Amino acid sequence: MKLTKIEQPQSFRQHAYDEIKNAIINHAIAQGEVLYERDLSEKLGISRTPLRAAIQMLEVEGWLKSVPRKGVFISRIVEQDVEEVLQLRRANESLVMELIIPKISDADIEKLEHIYAEQKLNEGSNEAFIMADKDFHMYLAELTGNGRLTQLMHNLSDQMRWFGITALKTTDRKDRTLKEHRIIIEGLKKRDVDFAKKAVIEHIEHTRSAVLASLKLQ
């Protein structure tokens, strides 16, 4: 597990929070692994007081789980987590398609093509590939102009990145993701709401299947 030491004292707690959370999302720390304060304190270059505050924040958000007399553990992805998050994502992204189809411009689609190309270039890195995936979906959300919907999507995005890394353990998920994104783009080019909604729902369903299949392999 590689963590970055803080270089300026703007917020030791926030630095620790960000570093540990990203390590969990990117699977640099394994699910179920125990965290040791001394080890984290040394790797992050901070004292235990802000570290404990960061751990409390992560525990409230569900990334960590404290077990009395045993320690603090990385939470595990379970089927219920996947189902709940993807139910919300299906509803939100279907609405995104409804809202953007009437007003999406050729320039918007061209920018989406650039994000798609960036994701394709990053097939060799799981972390970069999933970040590009997040950019793809968040850009679509931003095009709605609906700030609350965009914030809901953003709130789900970290868990989706966590799930996404898991999904990539299936052999063809990157290739299928790119094909599914291409179909979504084609639906947007056609300005066809039903086509685009079907494409995004199928993409989410395939993601769900890949994540659940990977969980069974663990």
Side-chain angles (χ1 to χ4, degrees):
M1 172 178 55
K2 184 178 179 181
L3 300 174
T4 306
K5 285 189 176 182
I6 193 166
E7 295 180 356
Q8 51 186 347
Q10 74 274 19
S11 172
F12 295 137
R13 181 185 67 178
Q14 188 63 42
H15 176 79
Y17 169 89
D18 291 339
E19 285 291 311
I20 296 169
K21 185 175 180 179
N22 282 325
I24 294 170
I25 289 171
N26 294 317
H27 296 226
I29 312 176
Q31 296 178 47
E33 184 174 330
V34 64
L35 293 183
Y36 296 100
E37 284 188 7
R38 177 182 293 179
D39 180 54
L40 289 173
S41 178
E42 291 175 356
K43 287 180 176 177
L44 291 165
I46 62 175
S47 70
R48 295 193 186 186
T49 299
L51 174 61
R52 285 169 184 158
I55 287 173
Q56 288 175 353
M57 290 168 64
L58 291 163
E59 189 174 355
V60 168
E61 292 182 8
W63 298 101
L64 302 176
K65 183 176 181 180
S66 180
V67 180
R69 295 183 296 278
K70 291 188 177 180
V72 178
F73 296 81
I74 306 298
S75 296
R76 293 183 180 276
I77 299 173
V78 298
E79 185 172 341
Q80 183 177 352
D81 297 326
V82 178
E83 297 291 2
E84 289 179 357
V85 170
L86 291 180
Q87 283 171 8
L88 292 171
R89 188 175 168 190
R90 273 193 294 271
N92 288 340
E93 297 206 33
S94 293
L95 179 57
V96 167
M97 294 297 109
E98 290 180 12
L99 294 175
I100 67 175
I101 290 289
K103 63 180 181 179
I104 193 167
S105 68
D106 290 342
D108 294 332
I109 294 173
E110 184 178 353
K111 183 171 179 180
L112 193 64
E113 291 274 19
H114 286 310
I115 297 172
Y116 174 86
E118 185 72 19
Q119 185 174 27
K120 196 167 185 178
L121 285 173
N122 285 311
E123 285 188 81
S125 166
N126 286 354
E127 183 176 343
F129 187 87
I130 291 299
M131 279 302 298
D133 187 88
K134 173 185 175 181
D135 291 343
F136 183 93
H137 291 279
M138 286 306 304
Y139 179 64
L140 292 173
E142 289 163 6
L143 289 177
T144 67
N146 185 321
R148 289 176 173 81
L149 176 57
T150 302
Q151 186 59 49
L152 285 172
M153 292 278 291
H154 179 73
N155 292 343
L156 294 174
S157 66
D158 284 339
Q159 287 193 311
M160 284 308 310
R161 284 170 57 206
W162 193 32
F163 297 168
I165 295 290
T166 299
L168 294 184
K169 294 176 183 178
T170 56
T171 55
D172 65 343
R173 188 58 202 148
K174 286 181 184 175
D175 183 57
R176 291 188 66 178
T177 294
L178 289 168
K179 288 178 179 176
E180 291 157 13
H181 281 182
R182 170 51 57 194
I183 294 171
I184 292 169
I185 293 172
E186 292 308 311
L188 294 171
K189 286 181 176 179
K190 294 177 180 179
R191 273 67 173 184
D192 187 326
V193 174
D194 291 337
F195 184 100
K197 285 177 67 175
K198 181 181 177 184
V200 79
I201 288 170
E202 288 184 352
H203 172 52
I204 293 168
E205 182 56 33
H206 291 155
T207 299
R208 171 186 172 276
S209 297
V211 175
L212 294 179
S214 294
L215 292 180
K216 290 177 182 178
L217 297 175
Q218 295 179 8

